[in-house]
Amino acid sequence: MIKARVTVTLKNGVLDPQGKAIEGALGTLGFSGVGHVRQGKVFDIELDHDDRSRAETELKAMAEKLLANTVIEDYAVEIA
């Protein structure tokens, strides 16, 4: 079995209103010095085979087809 993590984040230059709201809320809660917060998504995925090359190909396809909107988001694949 292969365990992997796909992290999806907004591309640089794309407005992130949720990240901006989190940044403001952290300041309101007393956390000073916090700036430029960007939010994203994390997907932990288990594949039922042991072929790392195949897993990387499949995970990238998953990200391209469903997990990320590649027009405005980047993604990174990590295989454990």
Side-chain angles (χ1 to χ4, degrees):
M1 177 185 325
I2 290 179
K3 292 184 180 184
R5 175 169 283 174
V6 179
T7 305
V8 179
T9 56
L10 289 169
K11 290 183 177 184
N12 289 332
V14 175
L15 294 178
D16 184 359
Q18 189 173 7
K20 202 58 146 168
I22 292 167
E23 183 180 320
L26 289 171
T28 301
L29 292 171
F31 296 99
S32 62
V34 176
H36 197 69
V37 174
R38 304 281 288 175
Q39 64 86 33
K41 304 176 277 192
V42 174
F43 301 92
D44 290 324
I45 300 171
E46 293 182 2
L47 301 173
D48 64 356
H49 59 78
D50 291 323
D51 184 338
R52 290 180 68 86
S53 177
R54 177 178 156 204
E56 186 173 357
T57 299
E58 290 176 342
L59 290 160
K60 286 180 178 179
M62 291 175 199
E64 293 278 337
K65 292 180 181 181
L66 178 66
L67 303 178
N69 175 350
T70 57
V71 173
I72 62 169
E73 294 176 318
D74 289 323
Y75 66 87
V77 174
E78 299 173 54
I79 298 174

